[in-house]
Structure formats: structure tokens, C-alpha cells
Amino acid sequence: MVEVTVTPQSSLADRPVQIRVRGLSPSQLVTLRAWLKDEQGERFQSRAFFRADEAGEVDPGLRAALGGSYSGVWPMGLFWFLQPDTLFRRLVKRDVAGSPFRVRVEVLDGLGLGADPREQPLASCEAERWYVGPGVQRVPVREGRVRGALFLPP
């Protein structure tokens, strides 16, 4: 049975995570796909192609992606190379304190080139990417023409 995990499952957006796939056949070609919907419902996704090792595992931190949104060894590549389905959109988190981005990570058999979100994955999981840590206080700043936010640690 194929399993994909993201460790830790919930983390700050600037912290690295480890993605692991287990239960594949040795040397099996797979596509790892990550996607999320932003606060306006716009979909962003990335994908990378991998060949499983002799134990039937894929670790993007150790094995080079063969292509897709990137190639080479990029442990966080699936998160860093998220691109919008609609041109000229930017991934922006407006409600930084209220909710995380929920990133879906999926394993597809073979080289998944299509952008069809209905492709049936072999396995999937969800990771939460928070922009503000627990207990951090957000204070709006308005001084003259200056607008911003001050984030105070607990």
C-alpha cells in the first residue's frame, strides 16, 4: 500500500518539512503533485517526477526530481515551485493569523503531465503551512502614510 507523509504535518511556512513516499515498486516512476487553493479559491500546483529507490521509497530531499516544475534535489521544491492554474496570479496569504494554507500532496502513478485535478492519486496527505506562530500578537500600524503590521512574540 502506497503512503505519502509530510513531517511535521503542521508547521510555519518558513520551516522545512520532509516528504516521504513508501510502498512503491522498486524503480517505479511516479509524480509527486502539491496543490492548494488560496483565499480567493485560485488553485496553485507543482509537480515533480521521481523514480523510486530499490526499497520502493521516494524522498525529495535525497533523490533528484527528473523533471516537472523543477529538476534536481530540492527538499522543499514542491512548496517553492507552486504555480497558478490561471496566468498572472500571485500566491498571497492575507489572513496570516487566522488560518494556514492547506497543501495537498499526492502521489500519481507514472508521469502525470496533465493538470486535471480529478486524476486519481495512489496516496495523498495534507500539510498545514502557518504564517504566524502560536501566541504571536498582530498589531496594525498606521502612522501618517505608513501602513503595516507589527508581530510581537508571546
Side-chain angles (χ1 to χ4, degrees), residues 129-142:
R129 304 294 282 172
W130 289 89
Y131 283 79
V132 175
V136 172
Q137 180 184 6
R138 182 181 189 273
V139 179
V141 174
R142 291 180 171 270

Side-chain angles (χ1 to χ4, degrees), residues 60-73:
L62 300 175
R63 300 192 67 81
L66 306 173
S69 301
Y70 67 94
S71 60
V73 179

Side-chain angles (χ1 to χ4, degrees), residues 51-100:
R51 184 176 299 282
D53 64 15
E54 55 280 345
E57 297 183 359
V58 170
D59 181 345
L62 300 175
R63 300 192 67 81
L66 306 173
S69 301
Y70 67 94
S71 60
V73 179
W74 291 80
M76 295 292 296
L78 288 172
F79 293 89
W80 291 341
F81 292 97
L82 288 165
Q83 294 294 313
D85 284 356
T86 305
L87 292 177
F88 308 113
R89 301 284 187 184
R90 288 187 336 157
L91 184 58
V92 176
K93 183 71 171 140
R94 302 232 184 264
D95 180 16
V96 294
S99 64

Side-chain angles (χ1 to χ4, degrees), residues 25-122:
S25 301
S27 300
Q28 181 177 351
L29 277 173
V30 294
T31 300
L32 292 185
R33 177 173 64 188
W35 63 272
L36 63 84
K37 287 192 176 182
D38 70 4
E39 292 156 330
Q40 285 73 46
E42 185 66 38
R43 185 178 154 97
F44 291 76
Q45 67 176 320
S46 64
R47 66 184 64 237
F49 312 130
F50 291 93
R51 184 176 299 282
D53 64 15
E54 55 280 345
E57 297 183 359
V58 170
D59 181 345
L62 300 175
R63 300 192 67 81
L66 306 173
S69 301
Y70 67 94
S71 60
V73 179
W74 291 80
M76 295 292 296
L78 288 172
F79 293 89
W80 291 341
F81 292 97
L82 288 165
Q83 294 294 313
D85 284 356
T86 305
L87 292 177
F88 308 113
R89 301 284 187 184
R90 288 187 336 157
L91 184 58
V92 176
K93 183 71 171 140
R94 302 232 184 264
D95 180 16
V96 294
S99 64
F101 272 141
R102 287 179 167 71
V103 183
R104 191 94 181 142
V105 178
E106 300 173 334
V107 182
L108 304 169
D109 190 26
L111 302 178
L113 300 172
D116 185 0
R118 295 178 304 255
E119 291 176 280
Q120 288 301 312
L122 298 173

